[in-house]
Amino acid sequence: MSKINNCLTGLDNSCIPVWFMRQAGRYLPEFRDLRQRNQDFLKLCLNSDLATEITLQPLNRFNLDAAIIFSDILIVPYAMNQQIEFRRYGGPIVKEFNINSFLKVNKKEFYKKLEQVYLAIKKTRKKLDKHKSLIAFVGAPWTLLIYLFNLKKDGQLNEKLLEGKEDEIQKIFLKLDEFLKHHIIAQKDAGADIIQIFDSWAGLIEKKKLENYCYNPNKSLVEFCKKKGIPVICFPKGLKENYKSFVDIVKPNCISIDHEIDPEWAKKNLKNICIQGGMDPHLLLKDEKEALGEVDRYLNIFKNNSYIFNLGHGILPQTNPDLIKRIVSKIRENK
Ligand code: CP3
């Protein structure tokens, strides 16, 4: 079994595996080059040969412990009959959410629409060193709702769009829960070793709604993964001190912390769980010495923990790939 899987399942506490969110992306010249020739992002996700190639790009450069399949969290609403547009600037949007076609989604057609994603996982697993993990992922229901309802405006939640919609939201969440589980199991069957659940916008939920919109939906997916024997990492970004309740209630195998979380606080408060990530990706844009110093700080704090090195969010497009190489070397030297 791979190092990350051993770390996640508590079989090995001595290692610090490393991978990065958005390790396949615009900071890599080879990604930009391929992307230039393929303007339609969705088509890229749905081309198993190109998705495999992109997934492996960072592994050809760096000695990482895991690949994360090149796809997107919005592929699931796409397969649930929604029209998704990936804009060059401003991020992706769902064009006029259609609840009828969404609720009427058919399981067979869903799998058919995503067959290239599963094929990409199969092809990647075949090419990937057997000691390395292949991570697949889903977006949590709340984070997907943000896009379905177009809830974000200038980084803020447009609360008005949620008013009086509790029943509709419950219906949408139920359907998402069902189809996210289909997507999880199909990714596992194709060869994925780990699932990461991205709740990137969890920080926008008001406290009294956390249980309904964050903890319960994540818990349902985590329990499903555990029942199926799939190690699971949760990333409820922006939860601040509520990370503690999240861990106590949801109980994933591993918790990915964001860069607002003080790592000392995490070590003290997030108990009996593998911790992942934390370092601010913006620090990778500053001078190298400062960035490597911060890597050291995380390694020191978590030296007696089960810890996976990663950042507090994805690698930024302006990041120098050479610095990623040095960070990986530093982590290897640490042992
Ligand atoms: O390397 C990896 O991490 C795997 C690939 C991956 C992508 N999206 C590819 C991508 C993963 C894990 C995601 C998940 C995802 N997608 C999330 C959760 C993680 C997070 O960042 O919080 C979210 C919220 C999305 C939705 C999404 N997709 C946004 C907001 C954007 C635009 C932001 C941006 O960086 O441009 C995307 C597009 C996207 N998904 C890109 C990539 C590499 C950039 C597209 C491009 O090349 O133009």
Side-chain angles (χ1 to χ4, degrees):
M1 215 201 246
S2 76
K3 232 164 42 169
I4 291 198
N5 281 66
N6 284 345
C7 194
L8 282 172
T9 47
L11 285 172
D12 190 349
N13 223 341
S14 67
C15 56
I16 297 196
V18 51
W19 70 281
F20 295 89
M21 291 185 253
R22 287 280 160 91
Q23 62 189 22
R26 285 168 300 185
Y27 76 107
L28 285 180
E30 56 273 35
F31 175 82
R32 288 198 301 270
D33 184 46
L34 196 147
R35 185 79 172 84
Q36 189 63 36
R37 287 179 275 120
N38 297 273
Q39 295 285 330
D40 188 334
F41 182 81
L42 198 56
K43 274 196 188 146
L44 209 47
C45 294
L46 296 173
N47 178 323
S48 62
D49 285 323
L50 291 177
T52 302
E53 185 182 338
I54 296 172
T55 301
L56 292 171
Q57 279 179 346
L59 282 101
N60 295 335
R61 271 186 185 250
F62 317 119
N63 184 14
L64 300 161
D65 292 299
I68 177 162
I69 193 68
F70 180 77
S71 175
D72 201 273
I73 58 168
L74 294 171
I75 206 91
V76 166
Y78 159 78
M80 295 174 81
N81 305 321
Q82 303 309 302
Q83 250 187 301
I84 315 286
E85 194 177 283
F86 285 90
R87 300 168 302 177
R88 264 249 120 99
Y89 303 99
I93 49 164
V94 174
K95 283 172 135 187
E96 282 183 55
F97 174 55
N98 181 331
I99 187 152
N100 293 327
S101 62
F102 181 86
L103 295 176
K104 268 200 255 149
V105 54
N106 164 291
K107 192 170 151 185
K108 229 173 159 173
E109 284 168 21
F110 177 85
Y111 284 133
K112 181 91 193 124
K113 279 192 173 153
L114 297 181
E115 93 187 319
Q116 287 288 315
V117 176
Y118 308 133
L119 201 53
I121 291 174
K122 208 169 160 185
K123 288 178 179 172
T124 304
R125 187 60 276 179
K126 228 172 163 176
K127 289 189 174 172
L128 191 66
D129 179 317
K130 70 175 190 313
H131 299 295
K132 304 200 179 218
S133 299
L134 177 53
I135 302 171
F137 59 87
V138 292
W142 165 258
T143 288
L144 293 173
L145 189 77
I146 288 277
Y147 295 97
L148 293 177
F149 279 9
N150 206 356
L151 289 177
K152 227 167 13 82
K153 224 170 120 190
D154 312 321
Q156 300 272 322
L157 184 66
N158 193 348
E159 306 246 13
K160 275 204 197 97
L161 297 175
L162 287 175
E163 276 166 22
K165 295 229 170 116
E166 274 75 18
D167 291 350
E168 190 179 332
I169 291 170
Q170 278 321 310
K171 269 192 212 150
I172 293 168
F173 273 25
L174 260 179
K175 205 41 122 185
L176 280 173
D177 182 69
E178 184 187 341
F179 279 79
L180 289 170
K181 286 173 182 169
H182 293 328
H183 192 43
I184 287 172
I185 207 68
Q187 293 187 99
K188 185 211 181 226
D189 289 346
D193 307 292
I194 297 173
I195 291 288
Q196 175 149 329
I197 303 172
F198 285 96
D199 211 347
S200 306
W201 300 110
L204 295 179
I205 305 171
E206 52 180 321
K207 196 166 169 122
K208 65 174 198 279
K209 292 193 173 155
L210 277 174
E211 197 176 322
N212 265 346
Y213 289 174
C214 180
Y215 305 153
N216 290 343
N218 275 282
K219 190 170 177 212
S220 172
L221 298 174
V222 164
E223 283 177 352
F224 178 79
C225 289
K226 286 185 166 177
K227 204 169 74 197
K228 299 286 179 189
I230 317 167
V232 55
I233 307 172
C234 280
F235 183 42
K237 186 173 178 289
L239 276 193
K240 302 204 163 77
E241 67 280 0
N242 295 316
Y243 254 98
K244 184 167 161 35
S245 314
F246 184 97
V247 164
D248 293 342
I249 296 168
V250 179
K251 298 186 177 66
N253 299 97
C254 180
I255 185 80
S256 205
I257 55 173
D258 64 59
H259 45 91
E260 287 177 348
I261 299 287
D262 172 4
E264 298 275 10
W265 179 91
K267 185 177 152 168
K268 222 165 85 199
N269 290 284
L270 310 177
K271 291 288 192 193
N272 302 318
I273 189 164
C274 171
I275 293 176
Q276 169 175 282
M279 180 171 161
D280 189 344
H282 292 94
L283 283 179
L284 274 59
L285 308 180
K286 297 198 178 168
D287 77 76
E288 183 174 317
K289 223 170 130 202
E290 201 179 322
L292 293 175
E294 186 71 355
V295 173
D296 254 338
R297 191 166 80 90
Y298 276 85
L299 295 178
N300 263 321
I301 291 173
F302 291 115
K303 65 175 179 253
N304 296 317
N305 260 79
S306 195
Y307 183 65
I308 298 173
F309 191 89
N310 203 320
L311 303 176
H313 202 188
I315 298 180
L316 295 161
Q318 312 90 300
T319 306
N320 179 352
D322 292 340
L323 180 54
I324 299 291
K325 190 166 208 138
R326 270 178 221 127
I327 291 177
V328 175
S329 305
K330 183 158 195 68
I331 293 160
R332 298 294 175 209
E333 283 162 19
N334 194 255
K335 292 173 239 148

